[in-house]
Amino acid sequence: MRKTEDAYFLKGLRKQLVKQLKEKGISDIKVLEAIDTIPRHYFLDPAFNKIAYEDRAFPIDANQTISQPYTVAFQTELLKIKKGDKVLEIGTGSMYQTAILASLGAKVFTIERQKALFDQTYQFEQVFGDQFPDVQFFYGDGFEGLPNLAPFDKIIITAAAPNVPVPLWDQLKVRGIMVIPVDESETVQRMLRLTKKKDGMAKRESFDEFSFVPMLQGKSQG
Ligand code: SAH
């Protein structure tokens, strides 16, 4: 990512995107404001400035993707972020979702398994360090989470999970919320919101189908 001019026409495209997201059913004003505030074109190559405000996923380095804005808004809305929430994100990717969470006042702990993507995370500090000092990046396997920094108020998985990883569930606070797309087939995931009850069991809510890149085991050096 890099900071480039946030030209007037890009701000305009962003407003259009917010309007589209509203039409598609995103209703949380704070989430819409976050989308309006964070320049998504910072997270893509400058050649793609205009495309950055189309509501679609886009390839980034290491064969990964920046999630579709609707997906980011949808997952963020389900998380019900409150200022100061400790949030664990699995799948840093482009850092766009990370920035949206931070702009809602979350303390974000985000894990990426692709070394090439993790190596770009210093750029976040350059661009957003002053604005969002409470973001920490980790190179590791998201299936393991961050046991030393647990428990978390919220956990968001931004890759297609084969199941709900037990270590992550254990790192969620009671009354905490996990938003996770779980495989229904090889290509489609069901978005779930799991709220941890006092007895450690989950209240399970099921939403639409989405399509994510897979959550993979271990770390990649490539
Ligand atoms: N939140 C990102 C979405 C990127 S796509 C964004 O807004 O751009 C999903 C990301 O999850 C990819 O970068 C992929 O490398 C990463 N990922 C997949 N499996 C993982 C794992 N086990 N641990 C950490 N990251 C993982």
Side-chain angles (χ1 to χ4, degrees), residues 11 32 54 74 132 141 143 145 160 169 173 183 195 202 206 218:
K11 289 197 173 101
L32 293 167
E54 289 178 12
F74 195 89
F132 306 136
D141 182 356
F143 278 101
W169 184 251
K173 280 185 194 170
D183 284 335
T195 307
S206 178

Side-chain angles (χ1 to χ4, degrees), residues 60-62 64-67 72 75 89-98 110-114 117 140-144 158-160 212-218:
I60 56 171
D61 289 348
Q64 302 304 318
T65 56
I66 177 170
S67 297
V72 171
Q75 287 197 282
E89 178 191 24
I90 309 302
T92 311
S94 68
M95 305 181 268
Y96 177 64
Q97 171 77 72
T98 312
T110 180
I111 312 181
E112 175 56 55
R113 68 179 290 282
Q114 292 282 352
L117 293 177
D141 182 356
F143 278 101
E144 290 165 19
T158 71
F212 285 82
V213 296
M215 184 174 181
L216 300 172
Q217 300 278 351

Side-chain angles (χ1 to χ4, degrees), residues 86-92 107-112 118 135-152 154-155 165-172 215 219:
K86 252 178 91 178
V87 180
L88 175 63
E89 178 191 24
I90 309 302
T92 311
K107 295 191 174 82
V108 189
F109 301 77
T110 180
I111 312 181
E112 175 56 55
F118 173 76
V135 175
Q136 289 184 51
F137 295 94
F138 299 84
Y139 171 49
D141 182 356
F143 278 101
E144 290 165 19
L146 295 170
N148 298 333
L149 293 162
F152 298 95
K154 312 280 161 71
I155 299 182
V166 174
L168 295 184
W169 184 251
D170 289 345
Q171 290 168 38
L172 186 64
M215 184 174 181
K219 290 189 281 190

